[in-house]
Amino acid sequence: MRILFLTHRLPYAPNRGDRIRAYYLLRQMSRFASVSLFSLIHDDVEAAEVTRTPFAARIATARVHRLANLARGAISLPSNRPLTHALLDGAGAAHAIDTLTRPAPDVVVAFCSGMARFALAPPLVELPFVLDMVDVDSAKWRAMGATAGPRGWIYRREARTLAAFEASAARRAALTLVVNERECETLRALAPGAPVTVLPNGIDLDAYRPPDPPVAAPEVIFCGVMSYAPNEAAVQWFAAEVWPLVRRAVSGARFTVVGSEPTAAVRRLAAIDPSIRVVGAVPAVQPYLWASAVSVAPLQLARGVQNKALEAIAAGVPVVATTTVVDGLPTAVRPACLTADTAESFARGVQSLLVLAPEERRARAELATIANLGWDARLAPLEDLLRQAIERRTARS
């Protein structure tokens, strides 16, 4: 089998949520097919990783120029074109994709709705197409549309225009994949009759398995890309509303924010409160998780599966999270989580875990059943799903 895989970020290194799933999809597909990879490249750091990217037989890229794309997006506001498509564009993308179509792939796999538009345009439009939507992005923009002012109008416009495209793409795809049942229900409501299947996220169990006994220090951690607005908002809310309550109850507690691209507002948290540490990008998050007592995921807006929660649990660290985060997690890991949505209940959850003995906290994390949540097991159906999609498209033609 020959596969053309389209991704909006280079799927290497697997150091953020969207790259993680794409990386393991690429690895899995390379085991039963020859995979050609097209990726958009956003900066010099990402560009430097192209030659190190494993599993792809061939790679072509196109550079995203953010300012030019923002200008094109602004011009397109009176139209029905999603801003996602304007922002996720690269100079020479069509030519780069064309270089990977000889010989023609048996199937095109587009990662997220932002890349589906390439699969639905020449030279790929006549080929069998599978969309890994991951989660339904338009639902996220719809939730963010509650924001007042011009920004809220832009979010609502994006929700409307992207939902229309997602519905069309799901109907035209031979198969659309999503990460959990919540996203499956959302997409089926958006595109009734479209073939949709859940292909869930996994965990790299060996990479996160704790090598040492649990720590005694009252260390609380949040992991995530900090330029992502829901992550930034979550950390700011936790620091302002929850953390003072925790500090009053637990002497010596510290809160560490780990993740690339922390905004100025997030960095200011550490300048204001010495018990808060913002470390930015790190080579690996595991040492920080293993040195923590509790992981928090206080997101008010969360689609799909929050890898940060899965990774913490695999690292032996219990999680306090909002309902919207917990509802997206596999049922098997939820016993390792405390659910809280108000500042007071969130603080009580964190405190209740911090006052436990280290072994009791580890035991709470180990209530999760994760043995069957490795990436190999979760992605095992992928080969059959792609072959069935090819057969379905061939029969339709």
Side-chain angles (χ1 to χ4, degrees), residues 12 71 75 100 111 129 151 157 196 216-217 219 224 243 249 252 278 327 345 362 377-378 382 393:
Y12 189 80
I75 293 170
L100 300 176
F111 186 82
F129 157 51
R151 183 171 294 183
R157 177 196 177 276
V196 185
E219 296 280 347
W243 190 238
V278 178
D327 284 351
S345 63
R362 176 66 59 81
R378 302 294 259 182
L382 184 57
R393 173 57 186 267

Side-chain angles (χ1 to χ4, degrees), residues 2 14 21 23 58 126 134-136 150 172 183 191 212 244 248 262 270 292 307 312 329 339 348 363 367:
R2 293 188 298 272
R21 180 174 171 89
Y23 171 86
R58 297 184 295 168
E126 300 300 329
V134 188
D135 49 62
V136 183
R172 295 175 66 181
E183 299 303 320
D212 300 307
R248 283 199 289 270
S292 300
N307 291 306
L329 297 176
T339 305
R348 286 195 299 271
L367 291 175

Side-chain angles (χ1 to χ4, degrees), residues 93-232:
H95 174 73
I97 290 171
D98 186 59
T99 65
L100 300 176
T101 61
R102 292 180 294 274
D106 297 303
V107 62
V108 177
V109 177
F111 186 82
C112 82
S113 57
M115 299 305 288
R117 70 183 185 89
F118 292 110
L120 296 174
L124 306 181
V125 65
E126 300 300 329
L127 297 172
F129 157 51
V130 171
L131 170 58
D132 183 32
M133 193 171 282
V134 188
D135 49 62
V136 183
D137 277 341
S138 61
K140 173 188 69 178
W141 295 115
R142 186 174 299 109
M144 294 175 69
T147 304
R151 183 171 294 183
W153 179 86
I154 290 174
Y155 292 158
R156 291 189 294 274
R157 177 196 177 276
E158 188 66 5
R160 173 177 53 81
T161 58
L162 191 58
F165 175 81
E166 287 174 335
S168 174
R171 292 189 186 101
R172 295 175 66 181
L175 178 66
T176 297
L177 306 172
V178 291
V179 295
N180 60 24
E181 288 296 337
R182 181 173 66 179
E183 299 303 320
C184 189
E185 292 173 4
T186 301
L187 183 57
R188 283 177 173 159
L190 188 64
V196 185
T197 295
V198 174
L199 187 70
N201 274 8
I203 314 170
D204 189 335
L205 298 174
D206 291 335
Y208 284 89
R209 184 174 293 110
D212 300 307
V215 299
E219 296 280 347
V220 178
I221 190 169
F222 177 93
C223 295
V225 175
M226 292 315 305
S227 60
Y228 180 54
N231 283 346
E232 180 187 19

